Amino acid sequence: MQQILRAFGTSYGGKMLDRFFKLAENGTTVKTEVLAGLTTFLTMAYITFVNPAILSDAGMDFGAVFVATCLAAAIGTLIMGLYANYPIALAPGMGLNAYFTYGVVLGMGYTWQVALGAVFLSGLIFIVISVLPVREWIINAIPRGMKLAISAGIGLFLGIIALKNAGLVVDHPATLVTLGDMTSWPVLLTLFGFIVMVALDFRRIPGAVIIGILVTTALGLALGISEFKGIVSAPPSMAPTFLQLDLAGAFQVGLIAIVFAFLFVDLFDTAGTLVGVSHRAGLLDSEGKLPRLGRALLADSTATTAGAVLGTSTTTSYIESASGIKAGGKTGLTAVVVAALFLLCLFFSPLAQTVPSYATAPALLFVACLMARGLAELDWEDATEYAPGVVTALSMPLTFSIAHGIGLGFITYAVIKILSGKFSECPPAVLVIAALFAIKFAVL
């Protein structure tokens, strides 16, 4: 494989790639970029199993969502690679897919078609923001502590969903929640899968999450508690979800906060991922800013709208791209390789349908652990920073809503800063958001 890549790198095709992606200028080669793309793909391929499993709980067709997931990831990643020339991959975002299903559809009672409409509208607004010169002002207007708290809160939200889906946490009339049956095979396999993922990740083995999913699935098949449905077949039909979004329903007044939540989380999650990953790759300029930020944001926002049309929740940039960058990826060629591999995944839908919920729950829990680290980065010496952060993070899982968590967090942040005499530390954008959420809660 390495000899083939080395030979291609010196061929005419390799030279064309070098000119288009500026490989030599960025100190990389075709071989390095391809291997980096493979590394990134292995670290995030779990989404092809997990996203259809989550959205199918909302009543969506598993096979159609599987295809939409692969295509949305491929489209967004291709745009990021070819248009923005960054080694960053995209796919339906963890947390937002859970909010889509368990918060908007099952929690609030909206149809998944309406929820897709809300995702589409958030993507359109994101596109407008991406091309306007105010994009950096909007991104920088939100305090760092709130960004960290929102990320951590989404992690806790994923965590409680993972524990619930696995049967580790069940409802209780007196205490709301309690411990499930620790002797059942699904619970034991969930714990086993989680431990495998953590151990493999600690050993820096690429694809730790997907390996854990597949090993747990294999054990379930061996124990006879799940059904094998095959490995390879033609891609399922997209008809059940393609162009099924309900835009008219998404314009309801009650959905404004939901559209905002989708937009808000996608915008700041993407910005944080782009800056963080680019910093590791040494792609920031002398002022610490990301060149071609508008192109990168446009790739993300376009992928979100395309994903909604295809039939999946918000598509966003993946922090797992850092694994490919660590392997040497520095240009959009890395992203193009990832996109090609997502397209190849279209033929593995039977394998995706074989994976049971007790095999995807460990992946949710593992991602929850990764996202919860944001709490550690809060300013724990300033109560006006960490208190609103904790309220934000705790509110998301306990209200089962990312939007409610954001709203309560911003209201708390604004009021605490004002009463503490730190009004100057409360940007106008925060005051506006807090006021809007206060009005929403008041008229519920």
Side-chain angles (χ1 to χ4, degrees), residues 176-193:
L176 293 182
V177 293
T178 189
L179 187 66
D181 182 4
M182 294 298 293
T183 63
S184 70
W185 277 120
V187 169
L188 293 175
L189 287 174
T190 295
L191 292 173
F192 173 79

Side-chain angles (χ1 to χ4, degrees), residues 299-316:
D300 194 293
S301 54
T302 302
T304 291
T305 54
V309 170
L310 294 168
T312 185
S313 53
T314 305
T315 302
T316 188

Side-chain angles (χ1 to χ4, degrees), residues 137-151 264 268 378 384-385 388-389 409-410 413-414 417 424-431 433:
W137 176 83
I138 294 175
I139 292 172
N140 294 329
I142 307 304
R144 179 174 180 272
M146 290 304 297
K147 295 176 184 175
L148 293 171
I150 290 170
S151 176
F264 191 88
F268 293 103
L378 291 174
T384 66
E385 289 290 331
F410 272 92
Y413 188 93
K417 286 292 185 181
S424 61
E425 296 181 12
C426 194
V430 173
L431 295 173
I433 295 171

Side-chain angles (χ1 to χ4, degrees), residues 80-98:
M80 183 67 77
L82 297 175
Y83 182 59
N85 196 24
Y86 283 125
I88 297 172
L90 295 87
M94 293 291 288
L96 285 172
N97 53 6

Side-chain angles (χ1 to χ4, degrees), residues 7 14 34 42 71-72 82 203 234 237 246 298 309 316 334 394 400:
V34 171
L42 288 175
L71 289 179
L82 297 175
R203 293 177 177 273
S237 170
D246 182 356
L298 191 60
V309 170
T316 188
T334 293
L394 283 179
F400 236 64

